[in-house]
Amino acid sequence: MKRWLGKNYRKKSDESLMELLKKGDKSSFEELYKRYSKRLLFYFYKMLWQDEPKSQDFLQEIFIKIIEKPEAFQQGKKFSTWIFSVAHNMCKNEYRRKINRNEIALETDHEKLWYDSEWQFDFEQNLFKKQFNMALEKLNDNQKAVFIFRYKENLSILEIAEILECSEGTVKSRLYYASRKLAELLKNFSPVN
């Protein structure tokens, strides 16, 4: 019976799972966690100075918010847009807090790479990933967020505009400048065919 229920949850939309969670169905929360925990952890990691413990804390915090106040999600909204809006706002609040306390670190650990450690890459691919990560860290926070949402999360321009609470034109502009800056920073890299 339990196996059947698990399959049933996997077929439900994110929005349906949130409606079930509002009614006290804890298994729906588990399915949402499976779907979004790695994606959100990646986002927090990239946006919070590659600070893994802080990223883990933020991940835990966002899911605590979901389980404690599922009614914060409004019916009719797209869950992925909503959850990334919450994540983005958490990061903005952290930036403000750090600026107010003058705690922003000027150095980042560029040895950490943007890929799952389970994958096997050869030397050239590792070198490119390392250079790409270093270049990504040089984008401003708005450009980095737009780039991650578009190319890692595959969100539409409209969805990104909703998350960042800005116009679609602003999103396109930030994407353009982020891409230009990355291309410039990576211009000396010659990828292997």
Side-chain angles (χ1 to χ4, degrees), residues 178-190:
S179 298
R180 266 186 61 184
K181 187 168 185 176
L182 287 172
E184 177 64 26
L185 292 169
L186 297 169
K187 70 181 177 187
N188 293 328
F189 183 78
S190 178

Side-chain angles (χ1 to χ4, degrees), residues 166-189:
C166 63
S167 71
E168 290 178 63
T170 300
V171 170
K172 290 176 184 177
S173 175
R174 289 176 183 171
L175 266 177
Y176 172 76
Y177 287 109
S179 298
R180 266 186 61 184
K181 187 168 185 176
L182 287 172
E184 177 64 26
L185 292 169
L186 297 169
K187 70 181 177 187
N188 293 328
F189 183 78

Side-chain angles (χ1 to χ4, degrees), residues 14-25:
D14 298 338
E15 296 76 18
S16 298
L17 291 170
M18 279 305 293
E19 292 306 312
L20 288 171
L21 183 60
K22 287 179 185 179
K23 295 175 184 173
D25 184 335

Side-chain angles (χ1 to χ4, degrees), residues 26-149:
K26 301 301 179 198
S27 295
S28 59
F29 173 81
E30 292 171 17
E31 182 63 29
L32 286 167
Y33 186 85
K34 285 178 196 172
R35 292 180 189 181
Y36 285 90
S37 60
K38 287 182 182 177
R39 295 167 65 185
L40 287 165
L41 183 60
F42 176 85
Y43 179 73
F44 286 135
Y45 181 76
K46 284 299 179 187
M47 296 305 292
L48 298 172
W49 310 284
Q50 297 185 9
D51 184 333
E52 192 170 342
K54 184 176 289 298
S55 301
Q56 292 283 351
D57 290 346
F58 273 59
L59 180 67
Q60 182 177 2
E61 186 179 331
I62 199 168
F63 278 106
I64 287 171
K65 287 178 183 182
I66 290 171
I67 203 160
E68 288 182 347
K69 295 185 179 182
E71 65 279 358
F73 175 70
Q74 298 169 354
Q75 189 171 5
K77 291 234 177 202
K78 187 172 178 183
F79 180 78
S80 61
T81 304
W82 176 78
I83 193 69
F84 278 110
S85 293
V86 173
H88 184 70
N89 286 331
M90 289 171 68
C91 290
K92 284 193 327 192
N93 290 339
E94 181 67 6
Y95 301 153
R96 285 187 201 111
R97 187 186 72 74
K98 287 241 182 216
I99 288 169
N100 289 340
R101 298 176 89 190
N102 293 320
E103 293 177 8
I104 293 185
L106 298 176
E107 296 179 19
T108 57
D109 181 1
H110 295 297
E111 297 301 314
K112 296 177 180 174
L113 301 177
W114 183 18
Y115 66 88
D116 292 336
S117 59
E118 298 169 3
W119 296 353
Q120 297 299 314
F121 289 98
D122 64 17
F123 177 77
E124 292 82 14
Q125 289 169 321
N126 278 337
L127 183 59
F128 175 77
K129 293 287 185 185
K130 189 178 234 182
Q131 289 178 354
F132 177 81
N133 281 310
M134 290 170 61
L136 189 63
E137 289 303 315
K138 291 181 181 177
L139 298 179
N140 70 40
D141 294 329
N142 288 324
Q143 291 171 341
K144 191 186 318 181
V146 167
F147 191 86
I148 291 169
F149 285 143

Side-chain angles (χ1 to χ4, degrees), residues 1-12 20 25 27 31:
M1 180 78 172
K2 192 168 187 163
R3 222 179 252 174
W4 180 82
L5 286 174
K7 287 182 182 177
N8 191 26
Y9 283 101
R10 277 180 265 157
K11 293 179 181 178
K12 292 193 178 295
L20 288 171
D25 184 335
S27 295
E31 182 63 29

